[in-house]
Amino acid sequence: MPTRRTVMKAGGAVLLPAAAYGTSALAAAWPNERGARPVRAEVPEPFSVRMPLPATLKPVARSSTTDYYVMTARKANAQILRGATTEIYGYDGQFPGPTIRARAGRRVVLAQTNQLDMDTAVHLHGGHTPPASDGFPLDVIAPGKTRIYEYPNRQQATTLWYHDHAHHMEAEHVYRGLHGFYLIEDPAEAELGLPSGEFDVPIMLRDARFADDGSLHFVAEDFQNRTTILTNGRPQPYFPVAARRYRFRLLNGSNLRSFVLRLGAGEEMAQIGTDGGLLGAPATTREIRISPGERVEVVVDFTGREGSQVILADDHAGPVLRFDVGAPAYDASRVPAVLRPLPPLGEPDVVRQMSLGIDPQDFTFKINGKVFDPHRVDTTIRRGDTEVWEVTNGDTFTIPHNFHMHLVQFRVLSRNGRPPVPAEGGWKDTVPLQPGETVRLQATFTGPAGRYVYHCHLIDHSSHAMMATMEIVD
């Protein structure tokens, strides 16, 4: 049962050179002699493990219009901690799951098989998908069964991700590893000359709590005890880079934790994208704020830094990744002054109010005063309409939320009556809401008719019914 103690807060971590971090307080000496005490799983020394890159899934077949993939959700053992393996739920047994690289305008058909002993469902987060392929919470894959998902990819290049969305189970399933990147590419983005190929790196950040035997420990709303930060599935890894520009696609795959990320001693980064793709123009920033489900794309220039170590750290959790800068490498990439012009927004057809909050009487999570009922339609929307949604976090004490809308991307018009900061100036599908905050969002509902959900993407909250259904009608 959720309680008032569920809090997300950022502390003020001091950024120090890499050598100053020393040995993790969670790491301990290992007994080597015969008959010593039983070995316990522990977090490895900081920066002793290389950050892995998720494998790219290859199509099993191609036609003139479509790429065909197969994938299986199953249990597997992952090497995360020192001294033990950890059982995870993984797409193709991987943690994170394999990356799908799609092309705008080219369809993807995914045959997803469930080899777990519980129902699953797959949601392409940020995807413009038909309702039968969106992962509605009741559209589950039973154990031993296969479901076909069709993704038309009729949207611009962007960083999406796929994850479980089974009713009441999505929080635990995502926590145990059912998540992976889905990247859409298009010719217009390729012509910009941004870092590409091996210099275009997806990075998933998330937190976890481990038992002494190395198993993932899941208790809903257990934010304060999920103290191990995983970067592409490993705690505090290092990653070798050349002394040149890199594009990093950052995804917050946590259930509840937000990150405030800084590079080195607060060095500048060029933010180029957000949930729905490229910004109109690069935004220079010294910090990256990213709540669960959000994506942020940045270009970091390591030119002239050869031989150095540069740490990416969170204000509250401390270091999450170390970049080890090697020799210079040929670099023809650039960050143009104009990335992708954003079209002007038209006048809305409808304005709606949405309130997210916890009922103080029974501590249930609600949207507009209602818990989720998958058989009830909460909002009916005429296809093609443009709507403004005024979304408020009605919890004025300590509970943050964020808001994710399926089917469409939206633009942030204002936050607490003020224009959005540059980082929120592009297309979005997920926005954070601190207690008492209100954001105004505008979206045009041009997708297929049918039922979709919108919800808080602090996913432990949506698993406890902070979700609602919208129906797009002709």
Side-chain angles (χ1 to χ4, degrees):
M1 177 67 67
T3 67
R4 291 177 185 246
R5 70 179 178 82
T6 307
V7 181
M8 296 178 70
K9 55 187 177 181
V14 177
L15 298 174
L16 300 173
Y21 287 111
T23 302
S24 170
L26 296 177
W30 287 81
N32 296 316
E33 63 274 12
R34 188 182 302 274
R37 65 172 175 81
V39 171
R40 293 172 56 184
E42 300 197 21
V43 176
E45 297 290 321
F47 318 125
S48 61
V49 177
R50 178 173 174 148
M51 182 185 75
L53 298 179
T56 297
L57 191 65
K58 301 299 183 184
V60 295
R62 286 190 169 103
S63 72
S64 60
T65 62
T66 305
D67 294 328
Y68 297 87
Y69 294 86
V70 296
M71 189 183 292
T72 300
R74 60 182 175 86
K75 292 181 181 179
N77 289 323
Q79 190 68 52
I80 302 172
L81 302 181
R82 186 181 180 188
T85 58
T86 299
E87 183 181 85
I88 56 98
Y89 301 166
Y91 292 113
D92 284 354
Q94 299 177 36
F95 184 78
T99 297
I100 293 178
R101 288 185 176 268
R103 288 168 51 193
R106 185 171 174 82
R107 191 171 66 132
V108 161
V109 173
L110 172 65
Q112 178 68 243
T113 299
N114 178 17
Q115 289 185 354
L116 295 167
D117 56 2
M118 69 285 290
D119 292 343
T120 65
V122 180
H123 169 52
L124 179 57
H125 184 123
H128 302 174
T129 61
S133 295
D134 189 60
F136 190 84
L138 295 188
D139 291 344
V140 296
I141 312 169
K145 301 299 183 181
T146 298
R147 186 181 182 96
I148 304 299
Y149 293 88
E150 299 184 11
Y151 303 134
N153 300 314
R154 290 192 291 267
Q155 56 194 109
Q156 67 181 21
T158 188
T159 300
L160 308 181
W161 64 306
Y162 61 94
H163 61 77
D164 186 79
H165 219 293
H167 191 34
H168 285 317
M169 293 301 297
E170 64 264 42
E172 183 169 0
H173 288 178
V174 172
Y175 181 82
R176 294 193 182 278
L178 290 180
H179 46 47
F181 282 96
Y182 187 105
L183 309 180
I184 299 179
E185 301 167 341
D186 67 23
E189 182 182 88
E191 291 175 0
L192 293 174
L194 296 166
S196 61
E198 65 180 296
F199 308 107
D200 179 357
V201 181
I203 299 175
M204 179 187 293
L205 296 171
R206 54 156 295 181
D207 57 1
R209 178 183 179 185
F210 293 92
D212 287 346
D213 64 359
S215 60
L216 278 165
H217 184 80
F218 178 80
V219 175
E221 299 300 299
D222 191 29
F223 164 73
Q224 291 179 320
N225 291 311
R226 297 172 186 170
T227 54
T228 301
I229 308 302
L230 303 178
T231 305
N232 280 355
R234 299 294 185 271
Q236 290 184 308
Y238 70 90
F239 186 65
V241 295
R244 53 153 290 159
R245 294 185 191 89
Y246 279 76
R247 176 181 185 171
F248 297 116
R249 302 173 185 256
L250 299 167
L251 158 64
N252 186 347
S254 301
N255 284 31
L256 296 170
R257 180 186 294 270
S258 290
F259 293 100
V260 181
L261 302 171
R262 304 181 196 276
L263 187 69
E267 298 166 19
E268 289 186 348
M269 297 168 279
Q271 181 172 342
I272 60 168
T274 184
D275 305 333
L278 295 175
L279 296 169
T284 300
T285 184
R286 296 182 186 273
E287 68 176 26
I288 300 167
R289 294 180 175 269
I290 183 169
S291 71
E294 287 189 289
R295 287 84 68 206
V296 172
E297 297 187 27
V298 296
V299 172
V300 175
D301 192 351
F302 296 106
T303 302
R305 302 291 298 273
E306 52 265 34
S308 67
Q309 297 173 334
V310 184
I311 286 176
L312 183 68
D314 172 61
D315 276 3
H316 179 65
V320 299
L321 175 62
R322 188 183 75 190
F323 297 107
D324 292 353
V325 187
Y330 175 74
D331 187 5
S333 71
R334 64 193 187 100
V335 180
V338 176
L339 295 169
R340 182 165 289 179
L342 299 172
L345 296 173
E347 290 297 316
D349 300 291
V350 177
V351 177
R352 303 183 191 271
Q353 283 75 40
M354 300 286 167
S355 178
L356 285 65
I358 297 179
D359 190 321
Q361 301 302 316
D362 58 9
F363 293 102
T364 53
F365 291 99
K366 296 181 177 180
I367 295 180
N368 281 357
K370 298 177 181 179
V371 298
F372 179 53
D373 179 350
H375 304 289
R376 182 188 68 229
V377 173
D378 299 282
T379 304
T380 301
I381 299 168
R382 188 174 61 189
R383 183 157 65 167
D385 273 4
T386 295
E387 298 200 357
V388 168
W389 289 23
E390 297 177 351
V391 185
T392 298
N393 180 350
D395 289 322
T396 56
F397 40 103
T398 60
I399 310 295
H401 299 294
N402 71 7
F403 184 75
H404 170 52
M405 190 184 296
H406 287 215
L407 177 63
V408 294
Q409 300 285 338
F410 51 73
R411 296 271 294 278
V412 177
L413 302 179
S414 65
R415 180 177 290 277
N416 294 331
R418 296 185 295 274
V421 297
E424 289 189 323
W427 292 105
K428 297 277 295 170
D429 56 53
T430 307
V431 290
L433 290 148
Q434 293 303 313
E437 278 197 316
T438 295
V439 293
R440 296 181 77 246
L441 316 172
Q442 182 162 324
T444 300
F445 294 84
T446 55
R451 294 188 178 188
Y452 300 84
V453 293
Y454 52 93
H455 56 88
C456 178
H457 212 285
L458 274 64
I459 201 166
D460 287 21
H461 297 182
S462 60
S463 276
H464 284 95
M466 188 172 264
M467 184 153 49
T469 299
M470 59 183 177
E471 184 170 17
I472 314 301
V473 299
D474 289 317

